[in-house]
Amino acid sequence: MKNIREIANLAGVSRATVSRVLNDSPAVNEETRAHVRKIIQEHNYRPNLHARQITSEGNPVVGVVVATTQDPFFSELVSGVEQVCLARENVALLVSEGGDSAETERAAISNFLARGCDGLIVHTKYLPDEELQRFVKRLPNIVFINREVPELLNHCLWLDNFQGGVLAAEALIAAGRRRISVIGALETIVDSEDRLAGVRSVMRREGLTLEERNVFRELSSVEGGRIAMRRLLSAAVDCDGVVAFNDAMAIGALQTIADNGLAAPQDISVVGFDNLKISAFTVPSLSTIDYPVETMAKRATNAVLDMILKKRGTDVVELVADELGSVEPTLIKRESIVS
Amino acid sequence: MATIKDVAELAGVSQATVSRVVNGNSEVKAGTRSRVLKAIEDLGYQPNRAAQQLAKSRELSLGLVVATFSEPFFLSLTASVGDVCQQVGINFVTSIGGQVGESEERAMRTLWDNGCRAVIFHSKYLSDERLTELCAEFSNLVLINRFLPEFEERCVWLDNKYGGEKMVKRLSREGHAAFASINSEFANDDPHARAEGWESALSTEGGDTRLVAEAYGEPTLEGGYSAMSDLLARNTRFSALLVYDDTMAVGAIRALADHGIRVPQDVSVVGFNDSYMARFCIPKLTTLHYPVVQMALEAANVALALMKGGEVTGTAVLRHLPVIIDRQSISSAIGFATGGAR
């Protein structure tokens, strides 16, 4: 790869002249300009692109809203978005936290719209469907990850949480665990309720009941999982298997189990949800439900960019339909359910 | 295109001096100034005038370059700098540096070209030499987690060597003498500085304290796992493990478990960063806390001071120290005779 000095030598001019030709400066006579351009073309010279990547009109700005940035699940989501943005080049990316209420989520999205984002990828837990519809009216180039809004199916990509709950409960049953408790999210959010409904449906099928006193709700974090498991053990609930709302809570539960001199899976089986990268490396490694959020984020981002870039005209709906819709969860079997 | 380095060489001065001349700083002797100006003319050197003009016509903007938005560390950095900008009422622009020096530099230049009056730059891949050139070219460039002697007043950095020393001391206090280490194989500052700290503290401890084995890998879960496996294959005996960061530590602990070695009962482990990996680790990981928020605030203050056209004041805290966070991955070495990893 030639550098500017070599191009200048080949052309028999100064580096400054080459630079002026590249920048279309008028201070170069026509002959020289043509000559230098020829050399540049022959040698496939490409200048250091720094100045050329200034965000000018036409370069899309994409915003992503996640509940928190200090969490591995959302890190994987943002990673998916970022990879696509970087691969497409000249796409600017902004990240904002939606927080833990409808109010904060609304503010995050509104802020992005006010700043003129061209498209958004949004993970929202609290905003009701009607509000999401209103946002899409203002800016059509939005994809919601993990929401299934009947009026906005062309803007939604979601994991079948109910089915995930089913798989988690089935895994425990298959391992012979029938005294099942749930470590659930304190926040009243759709994901948690759908997963719980899936668990309940399996238990009903097995002739078992999931009492409310066997459901321990805490904030969906490692600490929350720790506390919920501690409450479970203190309540002396008869339990040989736990379904946790997500991997973070499951890992917290495993920590508490270890702290109390018990062993998973021998004393209590644990199944998580998300299949975070770390779940393969915990001791014991965590059986979980795969939530391919990074891949989903890439799909959502491609859909949003397609929507943005094809703004003038063509039927985008078909183009993006491939990327959106529902995603099937799968069970990842590791060590924490069965010895 | 002539660079500031070329000008400095031709004029026989430092890059910092060239920078002062270009920016109209009056503290340059007349003779030196004319030498520099002549060199600039001879070489056809073009300072970034376009950006300077653009900046004047726009509202005040502060830029930040981070490697990626997919790691909480960088988002924490971003959020902290963003908070300061919001309080002070200036515009905040971010750019992703990517995984190589060229993209980092490009991201940085994009911010200038977009009118940022100061840029906070987290660079992992550019060489000290190149960063020094950039600091000379851009007088309002602030570095975070790099240290350049020539521009130390613009560097907000974590003393990784000190951190490495702390890790050893914490374990020595529990009676550990046979140490093993796992470090990142990437050739940037942090792994090198941490290892320097390990070496220095180990030799200070004296007695029978020694590093019995070391291994390297990518700074990932898998990298920590395979480095630990390498190390265990060598059949050396150790009771304390120093790891480059929390992520590698989690991988290493998993590898130890696969070999029937328990943490902390058989081997004590210390990580670095206090990232979510440390909190998600089983057992909970003792580590060094990386004071990213304080560093971000400090960098923002330095950048603001430069934007106001001033020199950086003497009150800036540039050198930051990591702090031990005690959790569950360390135990006393007494009883090592029966435990440890062999």
Side-chain angles (χ1 to χ4, degrees), chain B residues 39-163:
Chain B
I40 286 175
E41 208 189 296
D42 286 351
L43 289 172
Y45 170 68
Q46 307 263 36
N48 217 333
R49 294 241 182 276
Q52 285 165 5
Q53 248 126 39
L54 209 57
K56 286 190 189 109
S57 64
R58 293 194 189 187
E59 59 181 47
L60 281 182
S61 291
L62 172 63
L64 170 68
V65 181
V66 292
T68 169
F69 282 148
S70 67
E71 280 168 41
F73 172 84
F74 293 111
L75 288 163
S76 198
L77 184 51
T78 304
S80 303
V81 176
D83 283 345
V84 173
C85 290
Q86 197 174 39
Q87 282 166 36
V88 170
I90 65 175
N91 205 24
F92 179 44
V93 191
T94 54
S95 191
I96 296 171
Q99 308 293 324
V100 284
E102 283 112 39
S103 53
E104 288 186 334
E105 187 173 328
R106 200 181 314 146
M108 192 264 303
R109 287 180 183 275
T110 303
L111 292 173
W112 291 110
D113 293 337
N114 271 268
C116 284
R117 291 274 210 101
V119 171
I120 297 171
F121 193 14
H122 184 290
S123 164
K124 285 204 313 195
Y125 303 101
L126 287 170
S127 64
D128 282 2
E129 195 190 46
R130 186 64 193 141
L131 269 185
T132 304
E133 286 176 1
L134 292 173
C135 280
E137 188 178 342
F138 298 100
S139 56
N140 288 1
L141 185 62
V142 176
L143 301 183
I144 191 158
N145 203 38
R146 291 295 291 269
F147 180 76
L148 301 175
E150 220 181 305
F151 291 104
E152 58 178 346
E153 73 285 357
R154 291 199 253 145
C155 295
V156 177
W157 56 290
L158 183 74
D159 193 338
N160 281 296
K161 182 177 172 196
Y162 169 90

Side-chain angles (χ1 to χ4, degrees), chain A residues 4 82 222 255 259 282 335, chain B residues 1 68-69 254 281 328:
Chain A
I4 198 171
E82 183 177 285
V222 177
Q255 288 173 345
D259 286 349
T282 53
E335 292 173 337
Chain B
M1 182 110 61
T68 169
F69 282 148
R254 180 67 229 183
C281 188
Q328 288 178 329

Side-chain angles (χ1 to χ4, degrees), chain B residues 53-334:
Chain B
Q53 248 126 39
L54 209 57
K56 286 190 189 109
S57 64
R58 293 194 189 187
E59 59 181 47
L60 281 182
S61 291
L62 172 63
L64 170 68
V65 181
V66 292
T68 169
F69 282 148
S70 67
E71 280 168 41
F73 172 84
F74 293 111
L75 288 163
S76 198
L77 184 51
T78 304
S80 303
V81 176
D83 283 345
V84 173
C85 290
Q86 197 174 39
Q87 282 166 36
V88 170
I90 65 175
N91 205 24
F92 179 44
V93 191
T94 54
S95 191
I96 296 171
Q99 308 293 324
V100 284
E102 283 112 39
S103 53
E104 288 186 334
E105 187 173 328
R106 200 181 314 146
M108 192 264 303
R109 287 180 183 275
T110 303
L111 292 173
W112 291 110
D113 293 337
N114 271 268
C116 284
R117 291 274 210 101
V119 171
I120 297 171
F121 193 14
H122 184 290
S123 164
K124 285 204 313 195
Y125 303 101
L126 287 170
S127 64
D128 282 2
E129 195 190 46
R130 186 64 193 141
L131 269 185
T132 304
E133 286 176 1
L134 292 173
C135 280
E137 188 178 342
F138 298 100
S139 56
N140 288 1
L141 185 62
V142 176
L143 301 183
I144 191 158
N145 203 38
R146 291 295 291 269
F147 180 76
L148 301 175
E150 220 181 305
F151 291 104
E152 58 178 346
E153 73 285 357
R154 291 199 253 145
C155 295
V156 177
W157 56 290
L158 183 74
D159 193 338
N160 281 296
K161 182 177 172 196
Y162 169 90
E165 288 165 0
K166 272 210 107 114
M167 291 164 78
V168 170
K169 287 182 190 155
R170 181 67 190 84
L171 290 162
S172 289
R173 234 167 59 209
E174 300 293 333
H176 293 279
F179 286 72
S181 74
I182 287 180
N183 208 348
S184 165
E185 62 188 17
F186 286 3
N188 33 10
D189 284 358
D190 298 5
H192 184 64
R194 286 172 202 181
E196 266 192 340
W198 297 339
E199 271 162 60
S200 154
L202 287 170
S203 66
T204 307
E205 288 297 324
D208 46 2
T209 300
R210 67 212 179 285
L211 185 69
V212 300
E214 53 187 354
Y216 296 84
E218 287 189 11
T220 60
L221 291 163
E222 296 82 354
Y225 185 94
S226 64
M228 189 75 244
S229 304
D230 281 349
L231 219 151
L232 288 169
R234 291 180 233 163
N235 274 315
T236 44
R237 203 149 171 254
F238 60 94
S239 68
L241 181 67
L242 303 159
V243 192
Y244 168 68
D245 72 2
D246 297 338
T247 303
M248 292 188 89
V250 171
I253 289 173
R254 180 67 229 183
L256 286 167
D258 284 349
H259 283 78
I261 297 166
R262 302 161 303 166
V263 175
Q265 298 91 328
D266 303 321
V267 169
S268 293
V269 179
V270 183
F272 201 119
N273 282 343
D274 194 22
S275 66
Y276 69 78
M277 287 287 175
R279 287 181 280 115
F280 277 54
C281 188
I282 304 173
K284 286 167 270 174
L285 189 64
T286 296
T287 182
L288 285 176
H289 179 73
Y290 196 129
V292 56
V293 171
Q294 290 97 294
M295 290 176 70
L297 295 177
E298 211 55 61
N301 288 332
V302 170
L304 289 175
L306 289 169
M307 274 167 81
K308 287 193 186 122
E311 298 284 306
V312 182
T313 70
T315 55
V317 176
L318 300 173
R319 172 178 174 247
H320 291 255
L321 305 177
V323 167
I324 278 265
I325 306 288
D326 266 312
R327 293 204 178 91
Q328 288 178 329
S329 58
I330 294 186
S331 68
S332 168
I334 299 163

Side-chain angles (χ1 to χ4, degrees), chain A residues 90-103:
Chain A
N90 295 339
V91 178
L93 177 62
L94 301 172
V95 182
S96 187
E97 287 189 338
D100 52 13
S101 68
E103 199 187 309

Side-chain angles (χ1 to χ4, degrees), chain A residues 298-337:
Chain A
K298 287 183 185 173
R299 287 167 55 178
T301 310
N302 277 317
V304 167
L305 286 171
D306 285 345
M307 288 181 202
I308 295 172
L309 297 172
K310 284 155 174 75
K311 213 168 91 163
R312 281 169 267 280
T314 52
D315 188 345
V316 166
V317 173
E318 283 165 28
L319 287 162
V320 304
D322 288 340
E323 309 278 21
L324 305 179
S326 80
V327 172
E328 282 305 295
T330 51
L331 172 70
I332 309 290
K333 284 187 199 165
R334 295 205 182 94
E335 292 173 337
S336 63
I337 291 184

